[in-house]
Amino acid sequence: MKYNVLTLYPEIIEFYKSVGIIGRAVESEIIDINAVNIRDYSKDKHRRVDDEIYGGGAGMLMKADVVYDCVSDIKSKSNAPVIYFSPTGKRFDSEMAKEYAKLDEVILLCGHYEGIDQRAIDLVVDEEISIGDYVLTGGHIAAMVFIDTVSRYIGDVLGNNESLSDESFENNLLEYPQYTRPEEFMGLKVPEVLLSGHHKKIEEYKLEKAIEITKKNRPDLIE
Ligand code: ADE
């Protein structure tokens, strides 16, 4: 999978692609992350990319021509879908991430300031995605969430597929609580059943705990 990330902060994406599990996946060429600076497409002598909003309203908007030229340049080298990150988009979830993980390439367009002139969105964007019901300072944060989540569903990125089947949101359940050594910490013991070696009982315990935490924190998932 190749992620093209079109943003005003390519340096954040450059750092993100160099560390941790994502860094390792880039290193071993399982994924590729191409950070593109939208500002490089400004024709303005001050490299401006934003302007005031027609009809009033606070803040600035990214200009249609700059965004259009940037996306068009990347699209001239690939026919990957263009995803725009915005709080007005469709809500991102693990099922959506699994579908995107099947693609070879995507173009991730990050809004900054108050967003992007609607005409550029109408002309170049295929899908608008929101990562949750809150407003971020910039789409680059949503793009990193997208890359992170999608990459976990690409074979070999995690190395250990076991960790995908039990995790939160599989079967509409949150993940059960987990423990590591020592067996006792600050007077708190690891639940006896987990030390028992009794496979069936352990599975029953994990399911019971998963249902319990889902009912408590996300009853909407059980409904
Ligand atoms: N940009 C600003 N807020 C966002 C959100 N919630 N999801 C995706 N992109 C955004």
Side-chain angles (χ1 to χ4, degrees), residues 85-87 111 129-139 142:
F85 294 105
S86 151
I129 289 182
S130 164
I131 62 159
D133 293 346
Y134 39 77
V135 180
L136 303 165
T137 57

PDB file of all heavy atoms in Angstrom, residues 85-87 111 129-139 142, ligand 1:
ATOM      1  N   PHE A  85     -10.018  14.337   4.646  1.00  0.00           N
ATOM      2  CA  PHE A  85     -10.335  14.238   6.072  1.00  0.00           C
ATOM      3  C   PHE A  85     -11.034  15.504   6.549  1.00  0.00           C
ATOM      4  O   PHE A  85     -10.499  16.607   6.394  1.00  0.00           O
ATOM      5  CB  PHE A  85      -9.072  13.984   6.888  1.00  0.00           C
ATOM      6  CG  PHE A  85      -8.484  12.648   6.581  1.00  0.00           C
ATOM      7  CD1 PHE A  85      -7.347  12.536   5.808  1.00  0.00           C
ATOM      8  CD2 PHE A  85      -9.117  11.494   7.004  1.00  0.00           C
ATOM      9  CE1 PHE A  85      -6.831  11.294   5.481  1.00  0.00           C
ATOM     10  CE2 PHE A  85      -8.613  10.247   6.680  1.00  0.00           C
ATOM     11  CZ  PHE A  85      -7.472  10.150   5.920  1.00  0.00           C
ATOM     12  N   SER A  86     -12.221  15.314   7.109  1.00  0.00           N
ATOM     13  CA  SER A  86     -13.028  16.446   7.546  1.00  0.00           C
ATOM     14  C   SER A  86     -14.046  15.963   8.573  1.00  0.00           C
ATOM     15  O   SER A  86     -14.533  14.828   8.484  1.00  0.00           O
ATOM     16  CB  SER A  86     -13.737  17.013   6.314  1.00  0.00           C
ATOM     17  OG  SER A  86     -14.952  17.610   6.673  1.00  0.00           O
ATOM     18  N   PRO A  87     -14.402  16.831   9.542  1.00  0.00           N
ATOM     19  CA  PRO A  87     -15.426  16.415  10.519  1.00  0.00           C
ATOM     20  C   PRO A  87     -16.790  16.173   9.867  1.00  0.00           C
ATOM     21  O   PRO A  87     -17.665  15.561  10.477  1.00  0.00           O
ATOM     22  CB  PRO A  87     -15.467  17.569  11.516  1.00  0.00           C
ATOM     23  CG  PRO A  87     -14.647  18.665  10.961  1.00  0.00           C
ATOM     24  CD  PRO A  87     -13.817  18.143   9.847  1.00  0.00           C
ATOM     25  N   GLY A 111      -7.086  18.707   5.298  1.00  0.00           N
ATOM     26  CA  GLY A 111      -7.510  20.092   5.408  1.00  0.00           C
ATOM     27  C   GLY A 111      -6.776  20.750   6.564  1.00  0.00           C
ATOM     28  O   GLY A 111      -6.375  20.089   7.529  1.00  0.00           O
ATOM     29  N   ILE A 129     -13.894  11.533   4.933  1.00  0.00           N
ATOM     30  CA  ILE A 129     -13.878  10.702   6.148  1.00  0.00           C
ATOM     31  C   ILE A 129     -13.646  11.565   7.387  1.00  0.00           C
ATOM     32  O   ILE A 129     -12.765  12.426   7.403  1.00  0.00           O
ATOM     33  CB  ILE A 129     -12.761   9.629   6.047  1.00  0.00           C
ATOM     34  CG1 ILE A 129     -13.132   8.575   5.011  1.00  0.00           C
ATOM     35  CG2 ILE A 129     -12.502   8.977   7.393  1.00  0.00           C
ATOM     36  CD1 ILE A 129     -12.104   7.474   4.884  1.00  0.00           C
ATOM     37  N   SER A 130     -14.430  11.273   8.436  1.00  0.00           N
ATOM     38  CA  SER A 130     -14.214  11.880   9.750  1.00  0.00           C
ATOM     39  C   SER A 130     -13.729  10.788  10.700  1.00  0.00           C
ATOM     40  O   SER A 130     -14.219   9.662  10.651  1.00  0.00           O
ATOM     41  CB  SER A 130     -15.530  12.452  10.280  1.00  0.00           C
ATOM     42  OG  SER A 130     -15.431  12.703  11.670  1.00  0.00           O
ATOM     43  N   ILE A 131     -12.780  11.109  11.568  1.00  0.00           N
ATOM     44  CA  ILE A 131     -12.332  10.084  12.522  1.00  0.00           C
ATOM     45  C   ILE A 131     -13.096  10.156  13.837  1.00  0.00           C
ATOM     46  O   ILE A 131     -12.856   9.351  14.736  1.00  0.00           O
ATOM     47  CB  ILE A 131     -10.803  10.109  12.767  1.00  0.00           C
ATOM     48  CG1 ILE A 131     -10.364  11.441  13.383  1.00  0.00           C
ATOM     49  CG2 ILE A 131     -10.041   9.819  11.485  1.00  0.00           C
ATOM     50  CD1 ILE A 131      -9.018  11.336  14.097  1.00  0.00           C
ATOM     51  N   GLY A 132     -14.028  11.086  13.974  1.00  0.00           N
ATOM     52  CA  GLY A 132     -14.816  11.139  15.204  1.00  0.00           C
ATOM     53  C   GLY A 132     -15.532  12.467  15.341  1.00  0.00           C
ATOM     54  O   GLY A 132     -15.264  13.408  14.589  1.00  0.00           O
ATOM     55  N   ASP A 133     -16.433  12.519  16.311  1.00  0.00           N
ATOM     56  CA  ASP A 133     -17.264  13.710  16.471  1.00  0.00           C
ATOM     57  C   ASP A 133     -16.576  14.778  17.308  1.00  0.00           C
ATOM     58  O   ASP A 133     -16.975  15.056  18.454  1.00  0.00           O
ATOM     59  CB  ASP A 133     -18.612  13.316  17.107  1.00  0.00           C
ATOM     60  CG  ASP A 133     -19.441  12.461  16.163  1.00  0.00           C
ATOM     61  OD1 ASP A 133     -19.096  12.401  14.961  1.00  0.00           O
ATOM     62  OD2 ASP A 133     -20.421  11.856  16.620  1.00  0.00           O
ATOM     63  N   TYR A 134     -15.540  15.338  16.743  1.00  0.00           N
ATOM     64  CA  TYR A 134     -14.803  16.447  17.354  1.00  0.00           C
ATOM     65  C   TYR A 134     -14.025  17.100  16.227  1.00  0.00           C
ATOM     66  O   TYR A 134     -13.890  16.518  15.155  1.00  0.00           O
ATOM     67  CB  TYR A 134     -13.840  15.950  18.454  1.00  0.00           C
ATOM     68  CG  TYR A 134     -13.162  14.659  18.076  1.00  0.00           C
ATOM     69  CD1 TYR A 134     -12.095  14.667  17.174  1.00  0.00           C
ATOM     70  CD2 TYR A 134     -13.620  13.440  18.571  1.00  0.00           C
ATOM     71  CE1 TYR A 134     -11.491  13.476  16.794  1.00  0.00           C
ATOM     72  CE2 TYR A 134     -13.024  12.255  18.184  1.00  0.00           C
ATOM     73  CZ  TYR A 134     -11.959  12.275  17.300  1.00  0.00           C
ATOM     74  OH  TYR A 134     -11.379  11.104  16.911  1.00  0.00           O
ATOM     75  N   VAL A 135     -13.518  18.310  16.459  1.00  0.00           N
ATOM     76  CA  VAL A 135     -12.804  19.020  15.389  1.00  0.00           C
ATOM     77  C   VAL A 135     -11.316  19.110  15.734  1.00  0.00           C
ATOM     78  O   VAL A 135     -10.936  19.597  16.797  1.00  0.00           O
ATOM     79  CB  VAL A 135     -13.394  20.430  15.175  1.00  0.00           C
ATOM     80  CG1 VAL A 135     -12.647  21.152  14.050  1.00  0.00           C
ATOM     81  CG2 VAL A 135     -14.882  20.346  14.851  1.00  0.00           C
ATOM     82  N   LEU A 136     -10.488  18.614  14.825  1.00  0.00           N
ATOM     83  CA  LEU A 136      -9.031  18.657  15.003  1.00  0.00           C
ATOM     84  C   LEU A 136      -8.485  19.961  14.429  1.00  0.00           C
ATOM     85  O   LEU A 136      -9.150  20.624  13.642  1.00  0.00           O
ATOM     86  CB  LEU A 136      -8.383  17.496  14.236  1.00  0.00           C
ATOM     87  CG  LEU A 136      -8.850  16.089  14.585  1.00  0.00           C
ATOM     88  CD1 LEU A 136      -8.401  15.111  13.518  1.00  0.00           C
ATOM     89  CD2 LEU A 136      -8.309  15.688  15.942  1.00  0.00           C
ATOM     90  N   THR A 137      -7.239  20.287  14.793  1.00  0.00           N
ATOM     91  CA  THR A 137      -6.622  21.494  14.221  1.00  0.00           C
ATOM     92  C   THR A 137      -6.152  21.247  12.792  1.00  0.00           C
ATOM     93  O   THR A 137      -5.888  22.183  12.056  1.00  0.00           O
ATOM     94  CB  THR A 137      -5.407  21.954  15.056  1.00  0.00           C
ATOM     95  OG1 THR A 137      -4.466  20.879  15.123  1.00  0.00           O
ATOM     96  CG2 THR A 137      -5.826  22.368  16.459  1.00  0.00           C
ATOM     97  N   GLY A 138      -6.037  19.986  12.392  1.00  0.00           N
ATOM     98  CA  GLY A 138      -5.596  19.718  11.024  1.00  0.00           C
ATOM     99  C   GLY A 138      -5.833  18.278  10.618  1.00  0.00           C
ATOM    100  O   GLY A 138      -5.820  17.371  11.455  1.00  0.00           O
ATOM    101  N   GLY A 139      -6.063  18.067   9.320  1.00  0.00           N
ATOM    102  CA  GLY A 139      -6.356  16.733   8.800  1.00  0.00           C
ATOM    103  C   GLY A 139      -5.176  15.775   8.856  1.00  0.00           C
ATOM    104  O   GLY A 139      -5.359  14.559   8.729  1.00  0.00           O
ATOM    105  N   ALA A 142      -5.746  13.174  11.419  1.00  0.00           N
ATOM    106  CA  ALA A 142      -6.679  12.144  10.945  1.00  0.00           C
ATOM    107  C   ALA A 142      -5.977  11.211   9.952  1.00  0.00           C
ATOM    108  O   ALA A 142      -6.197   9.997   9.973  1.00  0.00           O
ATOM    109  CB  ALA A 142      -7.892  12.798  10.299  1.00  0.00           C
TER     110      ALA A 142
HETATM  111  N1  ADE B   1     -10.238  17.477  10.455  1.00  0.00           N
HETATM  112  C1  ADE B   1     -10.694  18.187  11.507  1.00  0.00           C
HETATM  113  N2  ADE B   1     -11.444  17.431  12.318  1.00  0.00           N
HETATM  114  C2  ADE B   1     -11.479  16.186  11.754  1.00  0.00           C
HETATM  115  C3  ADE B   1     -12.108  14.968  12.109  1.00  0.00           C
HETATM  116  N3  ADE B   1     -12.853  14.839  13.203  1.00  0.00           N
HETATM  117  N4  ADE B   1     -11.911  13.901  11.310  1.00  0.00           N
HETATM  118  C4  ADE B   1     -11.185  14.019  10.199  1.00  0.00           C
HETATM  119  N5  ADE B   1     -10.575  15.131   9.801  1.00  0.00           N
HETATM  120  C5  ADE B   1     -10.714  16.226  10.574  1.00  0.00           C
END
